[in-house]
Each structure stands twice: as structure tokens, then as C-alpha cells.
């Protein structure tokens, strides 16, 4: 792997946010693509931390500082990944479902969708079904996009689907779901309109709803 990408991954794992930001800027200045820096630097480091967390080699505080470093690095990439001045093609309401505080993947989904020219209203984390619906209604959104990282919270997506179906938004708003424990089969079983495995695919799928 490229040396600077390796260093970004290492410093991210050590939670060195200012250093990560500096290295990401250096990588950009060296001409590496934002996608390469994201996938092979930042996400590579986060994956290693995730594995160590799973094996009880690191704990919540270490994961939190690594997550902070990841978000700091993303601030450099964000304007490069989001096409400036692209005409908005539609509105998406995005959030991590109720009970779930993981937001790194959700933030990537936002970035990729904005990069496709979609307007994204990000409700943050711990978002209830009612809050998704209210925001979709207020903003005339065509898509509600839910992220979940816990097997204990992915069931909340079913609550969102059922609440939308029981509301005036039924048939007008598509529901997209994703996040590490979510699968195509799960999405189908709860009646969601779309499952995608990663942020890039989520953005492409959202765009395809508008093109349809
Ligand atoms: Co947590 N955590 N965590 N955690 N955490 C996981 C998810 C876990 C798998 C770790 C493990 O045990 N191996 C595990 C879940 C187990 C399970 O349910 N099966 C877990 C646990 C158990 C917990 C706590 C319960 C721990 C505790 O307190 N005992 C707790 C729960 C808190 C809560 O939410 N209520 C908790 C807390 C935390 C921190 C706060 C410390 C921190 C979150 C910080 C933050 O997000 N700001 C954290 C982190 C960082 C992780 C890991 C290490 C990394 C997650 C991450 O950001 N990955 C994670 C282990 C792992 O994943 N390896 C873990 C990088 C991110 C880019 O990937 O979010 O999957 P991801 O997004 C991907 C795709 O999933 C997809 O696109 C992205 C890639 O392009 N995607 C979508 C995401 N949303 C999408 C939506 C879409 C489409 C695609 O359409 C709408």
C-alpha cells in the first residue's frame, strides 16, 4: 500500500486527529484520489480498529478517538467528494435509527449522496420513526434513508417502514436501508424499497429513483 495511506491508517488507529487531517491534506496534495484516501487510508484504519474492538484488544475510548480522527480526515475530503454547485436533484431524509449512535457510515452516505447532487437532510443519530416522517413531510422528500449498525436496532427500520405505510406518505416516499448488519433479505422481509451495502451504492440507488 502507498506509504502515506499506511501512515493515515496508523495515525487514525492511534486517534491522532490533527495528524490524520494533516496527512490527508498531504495525500490530496500528492495527487491521490479522494476515494483512494478514503478507502485505503481512513476506512482501512477504521476496519482494523473494528476488528480489534471485536477481539477486545481495544475498548470504547480508543474506538471513539479513532472515530474522531476519521471524521477529522473526512472534513478534508468532503468538499472534494461533493461536487460543488451541482443542481439538487431531489431530497433525502437521512438518519441512524432510534437507539443507535453510530454515525460514521451514515455520514459517508450523506457525503456520497451530496456528491450526486441530492439534497440531504441529516437528522443525525437516534432518530425515531416519527421524526423521519415529520422531516419527510416538511421537506417534501422523496426518500427516507435509514442506517443501523446494531442487530438490536435494525428492527427499528421495520417500525419506520410500517409507520410510513400507515401515513399519508405511503406510496410517495421510498425507504432505503443499510448498515453493517443489514442484508438484502432483511430489507425485503420488512418491506423496505431498497438495500445497498455501501455509501457509494446508496448514492447511486437514490439517484436512480429520481431518474426513474
Ligand atoms: Co459500536 N458496535 N457499539 N461503537 N462499533 C459495532 C457496530 C460492532 C459490530 C462492534 C463489534 O462488536 N465487533 C458491535 C455491534 C454488534 C452487533 O450488533 N451485531 C458494536 C457494539 C456492540 C456497540 C455498543 C453496544 C458497545 C457497548 O457499549 N458495549 C455501543 C452501542 C451504542 C449505541 O449505538 N447505542 C457501541 C458504541 C460505539 C462507539 C460510540 C464507541 C463508536 C461509534 C462512534 C460513531 O459512530 N460516531 C462505535 C464504533 C466506531 C464501532 C465500530 C468499531 C466501527 C463502526 C464504523 O463506524 N465503521 C463497529 C465495528 C465494525 O464495524 N467493524 C462497531 C466504519 C463505517 C464506515 O462503516 O457504519 O458499517 P459502517 O457503514 C458502511 C456500511 O455499513 C454502509 O456504508 C458504509 C460504507 O460505505 N452503510 C449504509 C451504513 N449506513 C448505510 C445506509 C444505507 C446504505 C449503506 O442506506 C440508507
Amino acid at each position: 500500500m502507498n506509504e502515506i495511506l499506511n501512515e493515515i491508517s496508523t495515525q487514525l488507529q492511534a486517534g491522532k486527529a490533527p495528524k490524520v487531517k494533516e496527512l490527508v491534506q498531504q495525500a490530496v496534495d500528492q495527487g491521490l484520489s479522494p476515494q483512494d484516501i478514503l478507502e485505503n487510508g481512513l476506512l482501512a484504519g477504521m476496519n482494523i480498529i473494528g476488528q480489534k474492538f471485536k477481539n477486545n484488544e481495544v475498548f470504547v475510548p480508543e474506538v471513539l478517538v479513532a472515530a474522531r480522527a476519521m471524521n477529522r480526515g473526512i472534513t478534508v475530503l468532503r468538499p472534494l467528494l461533493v461536487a460543488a454547485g451541482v443542481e439538487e436533484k431531489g431530497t433525502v431524509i437521512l438518519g441512524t435509527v432510534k437507539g443507535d449512535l453510530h454515525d460514521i457510515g451514515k455520514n459517508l452516505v450523506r457525503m456520497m449522496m451530496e456528491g450526486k447532487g441530492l439534497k440531504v437532510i441529516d437528522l443525525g443519530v437516534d432518530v425515531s420513526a416519527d421524526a423521519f416522517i415529520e422531516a419527510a413531510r416538511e421537506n417534501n422528500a422523496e426518500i427516507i434513508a435509514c442506517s443501523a449498525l446494531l442487530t438490536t436496532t435494525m428492527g427499528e427500520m421495520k417500525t419506520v417502514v410500517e409507520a410510513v405505510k400507515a401515513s399519508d406518505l405511503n406510496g410517495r416516499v421510498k425507504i432505503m436501508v443499510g448498515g453493517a448488519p443489514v442484508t438484502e433479505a432483511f430489507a425485503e422481509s420488512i418491506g423496505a424499497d431498497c438495500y445497498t451495502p455501501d455509501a457509494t451504492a446508496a448514492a447511486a440507488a437514490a439517484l436512480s429513483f429520481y431518474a426513474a
Side-chain angles (χ1 to χ4, degrees), residues 43 46 50 53-54 60 63-64 67 99-106 108-109 145-147 149-151 176-180 196-199 202:
L43 285 177
M46 204 63 214
F53 187 45
K54 190 174 179 182
V60 171
V63 178
L64 271 180
D100 200 322
L101 304 177
H102 296 84
D103 68 356
I104 297 173
K106 186 257 308 160
L108 286 177
V109 171
C146 304
S147 177
L149 262 286
L150 299 170
T151 43
M176 297 180 62
V177 294
T196 49
D198 59 52

Side-chain angles (χ1 to χ4, degrees), residues 87-131:
E87 200 186 320
E88 280 162 3
K89 299 184 175 88
T91 303
V92 180
I93 307 297
L94 173 68
T96 303
V97 296
K98 193 172 170 193
D100 200 322
L101 304 177
H102 296 84
D103 68 356
I104 297 173
K106 186 257 308 160
N107 293 343
L108 286 177
V109 171
R110 172 183 178 167
M111 207 161 68
M112 295 303 173
M113 285 184 172
E114 288 179 342
K116 294 272 183 201
L118 299 170
K119 177 177 178 185
V120 179
I121 298 183
D122 186 349
L123 302 182
V125 297
D126 195 17
V127 181
S128 69
D130 284 350

Side-chain angles (χ1 to χ4, degrees), residues 184-198:
E184 179 95 58
F186 174 77
E188 264 178 40
S189 76
I190 62 169
D193 295 293
C194 173
Y195 159 78
T196 49
D198 59 52

Side-chain angles (χ1 to χ4, degrees), residues 129-139 169:
D130 284 350
F132 276 115
I133 289 175
E134 208 177 300
R137 206 179 272 132
E138 268 175 19
N139 295 283
L169 300 181

